[in-house]
Amino acid sequence: MPSHQSAQVNTLPHPDGSATVSSNGYTVLCTVNGPLEAQRRDEQPLEAFIEVHIRPANGVGGPPERSLESTLLSFLHPIILTPALPRSLIQITLQILSVPPTAQTLRTGSAASVARIALLPSLAHAAQLALLAARIPMRTVACVASLAVVEGTGEVGVVGVGETGGGKVEAVHAVGYSRQGKCLLWEMSGRGDGRGMKAVEGEARRRCLVEGGKGEDVVMGGVEGRREDLMGWLEGTIGGWLKGQQRWKGES
Amino acid sequence: MPLEPKISVNEREFLLDALRQNLRLSGRKLDALRPLSITFDPDDYGVTEVQLGKTRIRAHTQTTITNPPPSRPFEGTLTITAELSPLTAPHFELARPSDTEALLSRLLEKSIRRSGALPVESLCLLAGDKCFNLRVTVHVLAHDGGLPTAAFVAVLASLMTSRVPATEVRGGEVQVFTAEEREGVRLQLVHVPIAVGVSVFDGGAIGVVDADGMEEQAREGEVVVVGNEVGEICGVTKWGGVDVGAVELVGMVEEARKQCEGVVKWLKGKVEEEEKRRAKRDHAGERSAENQR
């Protein structure tokens, strides 16, 4: 599943940190500038002010982007160690570079709500990688899986949003877990009951953290034993980038 | 809010001294463009990314069907949006458009839309009722000078590779076909205008083609020339700055015009290559009903 994910860190020369992430057919470029001097009305005495701005691939942003911004902000706020940078501004700008040509639709509801869920993993991963590249202090890292509940014969089928294979989609979910196994994000669209939610929870946890999120420190770099979960992929990406950063130290 | 980092007095003096000896800090000649490169989205039409030195610009073209404005019932619409955001650098603010942004979008608007590069009559489907609305969005990903050149190449490449859906008008009804039903139609561009900027130094005595970020900060003015493939000048713009004598100005315009011609030839070659690659991938020849007679 992380095979169709790809990421590059620090792709742009000017911002403090940047990252490009592709998943579910979406490509998102995120840049982070910070800590900057906050405007007087935004300045907060005890923590950093976080500004999230999302720009669509085409045209200027509207209500769908504003709604995604508030979701992403509430996901990122507990991750960033904001009290470490009081009275400052952390500026996160996300540019959607490409969108898949055909959009999946819900059985009840519109394509827009599915697009919103399918886009969330790319946005969340790009923002975190860019924050790390900008050396913003963070409490943890979290990964987000987007899942679709497919109508089946009695059994609740949960697959990735891009893997429905033309099946009738009942609901879509975006679920995010921190490295410690805590749920930080749950967005859903469509219809669902307790049984479906339970199945989604199990599948999301499996996709995000195979190792169950025990929270112990692991050697980053993903050299020994490639992990197949999203957290393994995210840690591998960060590790790979850090290795490149420390090349000047030499092998000795 | 953050300000753009300025170059020091020493750096400025050093750069100017070097220019007086016909040298640039990058080692380029005074009349040389930085290497241009272009990438096309393999899955989507009308999505291009252009790199000019460290400057990176992406352009998307989107087509929708709307009603034409009542004052111009025989015309479709073409809109070009260029916005600089904190994505480029933190000193570009979201709410407050900078001068760079205003000048760039004005130049694009004037030289592509108003020069009639794309005849808007060709976007009309049914007079007074239905027309195509083309919207080109320009994303400046990295800014290191030469924004006009990179933006023009990106927008034109995007327009040259984009497709509008195939349509049929029967009895006053417009039928629009999806890409699966019928292949989209290429846009009919009349000419391909490209902008090249000549930066002015030393009180108007020195003209430098395609200044990079540092040279842009040290320059005393700029002349932007828009030219096309047949060597015509579509526009000359000079936004304030130091006075330039008539003879020097003619020389600069002539120099930039030659560069424009070269860039258009290069761009057309690249677009042709891309179209061939797509045709081979999509087996365009096999789907055609035409036969050789």
Side-chain angles (χ1 to χ4, degrees):
Chain A
M1 104 214 63
S3 54
H4 57 253
Q5 311 254 355
S6 69
Q8 282 173 299
V9 183
N10 260 358
T11 40
L12 296 182
H14 297 299
D16 293 330
S18 59
T20 313
V21 170
S22 306
S23 63
N24 291 335
Y26 289 92
T27 307
V28 172
L29 168 68
C30 177
T31 65
V32 169
N33 287 302
L36 300 168
E37 183 189 344
Q39 274 186 6
R40 210 171 150 69
R41 64 186 156 91
D42 298 333
E43 194 180 285
Q44 292 180 19
L46 297 176
E47 60 169 11
F49 177 74
I50 305 168
E51 192 181 87
V52 178
H53 191 71
I54 298 175
R55 295 160 60 84
N58 227 306
V60 283
E65 281 75 29
R66 299 294 92 78
S67 148
L68 266 174
E69 280 165 16
S70 70
T71 307
L72 197 64
L73 177 63
S74 51
F75 167 71
L76 290 173
H77 192 266
I79 295 178
I80 301 170
L81 202 55
T82 46
L85 302 163
R87 296 185 186 278
S88 63
L89 164 73
I90 299 167
Q91 198 176 43
I92 304 170
T93 315
L94 295 122
Q95 171 74 59
I96 300 163
L97 291 181
S98 60
V99 292
T102 48
Q104 177 87 42
T105 49
L106 273 184
R107 205 163 64 92
T108 54
S110 64
S113 50
V114 183
R116 181 185 147 80
I117 298 291
L119 188 53
L120 266 168
S122 316
L123 292 174
H125 297 149
Q128 290 183 84
L129 288 172
L131 279 163
L132 284 164
R135 275 78 168 179
I136 301 291
M138 287 163 80
R139 284 194 181 87
T140 182
V141 281
C143 39
V144 178
S146 55
L147 300 166
V149 179
V150 182
E151 195 181 50
T153 49
E155 194 74 7
V156 184
V158 180
V159 292
V161 161
E163 305 156 11
T164 49
K168 287 261 163 65
V169 180
E170 282 289 316
V172 280
H173 300 254
V175 192
Y177 284 102
S178 71
R179 272 193 69 211
Q180 288 73 23
K182 287 191 176 142
C183 184
L184 293 182
L185 174 85
W186 196 321
E187 283 279 305
M188 89 166 270
S189 178
R191 291 188 318 183
D193 53 5
R195 210 159 56 99
M197 299 285 263
K198 199 106 188 136
V200 168
E201 201 256 341
E203 178 65 17
R205 198 175 268 277
R206 194 183 67 74
R207 284 180 183 236
C208 287
L209 335 137
V210 171
E211 326 236 302
K214 286 176 225 91
E216 80 277 20
D217 277 345
V218 289
V219 181
M220 283 186 180
V223 188
E224 59 283 320
R226 260 180 72 86
R227 280 165 56 190
E228 278 300 294
D229 54 341
L230 282 169
M231 188 55 81
W233 166 77
L234 199 63
E235 283 176 356
T237 308
I238 300 163
W241 169 69
L242 277 178
K243 231 181 188 175
Q245 291 286 300
Q246 291 175 345
R247 204 177 294 135
W248 62 274
K249 283 186 173 174
E251 293 301 311
S252 57
Chain B
M1 291 305 283
L3 286 172
E4 187 182 1
K6 291 266 185 296
I7 61 166
S8 66
V9 176
N10 283 351
E11 280 175 305
R12 189 187 299 263
E13 285 301 317
F14 183 68
L15 196 144
L16 196 59
D17 257 3
L19 283 180
R20 285 187 187 126
Q21 298 165 40
N22 273 347
L23 294 169
R24 285 171 95 164
L25 300 195
S26 53
R28 266 188 294 155
K29 285 187 180 163
L30 294 197
D31 58 354
L33 281 170
R34 283 172 285 176
L36 265 165
S37 70
I38 187 163
T39 42
F40 299 92
D41 191 319
D43 307 317
D44 210 351
Y45 287 112
V47 182
T48 50
E49 194 170 315
V50 170
Q51 188 143 11
L52 175 71
K54 276 189 202 159
T55 300
R56 262 173 76 187
I57 294 191
R58 210 177 155 89
H60 276 241
T61 302
Q62 193 186 35
T63 314
T64 48
I65 294 176
T66 51
N67 304 325
S71 55
R72 300 189 168 274
F74 305 109
E75 294 178 4
T77 46
L78 168 69
T79 348
I80 303 171
T81 329
E83 266 185 32
L84 286 146
S85 67
L87 193 81
T88 320
H91 61 266
F92 293 114
E93 285 175 54
L94 284 168
R96 219 180 306 155
S98 60
D99 286 352
T100 322
E101 180 186 321
L103 294 174
L104 179 67
S105 45
R106 202 185 302 166
L107 188 70
L108 286 167
E109 172 85 11
K110 264 206 295 203
S111 312
I112 297 177
R113 209 169 71 88
R114 292 203 341 237
S115 84
L118 178 72
V120 276
E121 283 89 0
S122 70
L123 301 175
C124 178
L125 294 172
L126 204 59
D129 191 25
K130 289 262 179 335
C131 71
F132 285 122
N133 169 30
L134 286 186
R135 188 160 66 182
V136 189
T137 316
V138 181
H139 304 301
V140 181
L141 304 183
H143 174 22
D144 187 43
L147 275 191
T149 310
F152 268 75
V153 173
V155 170
L156 265 308
S158 174
L159 285 174
M160 284 158 95
T161 52
S162 71
R163 300 279 194 276
V164 291
T167 52
E168 216 171 72
V169 182
R170 258 193 220 147
E173 281 291 306
V174 180
Q175 193 185 359
V176 182
F177 298 99
T178 60
E180 288 81 34
E181 289 169 333
R182 258 187 221 183
E183 208 182 340
V185 183
R186 281 173 80 165
L187 294 171
Q188 297 298 319
L189 288 170
V190 174
H191 69 135
V192 180
I194 291 290
V196 167
V198 182
S199 295
V200 178
F201 291 86
D202 204 15
I206 305 173
V208 170
V209 169
D210 182 32
D212 60 24
M214 193 176 165
E215 287 167 340
E216 279 199 356
Q217 285 204 5
R219 74 181 173 202
E220 293 158 35
E222 188 188 24
V223 181
V224 180
V225 179
V226 183
N228 63 12
E229 67 269 41
V230 287
E232 288 169 341
I233 296 168
C234 311
V236 179
T237 319
K238 186 174 178 297
W239 304 302
V242 79
D243 297 348
V244 178
V247 178
E248 285 87 0
L249 187 70
V250 170
M252 286 175 192
V253 170
E254 184 53 27
E255 182 52 53
R257 191 187 60 81
K258 272 189 226 149
Q259 296 283 358
C260 293
E261 260 186 84
V263 174
V264 178
K265 282 210 181 91
W266 169 84
L267 175 62
K268 283 196 156 176
K270 285 280 172 191
V271 169
E272 215 45 57
E273 249 174 56
E274 172 66 13
E275 291 293 347
K276 270 190 197 146
R277 195 191 60 76
R278 268 175 206 265
K280 200 172 169 191
R281 187 195 62 183
D282 302 341
H283 308 292
E286 289 167 32
R287 281 187 304 175
S288 172
E290 261 176 43
N291 53 9
Q292 285 183 339
R293 286 170 205 276

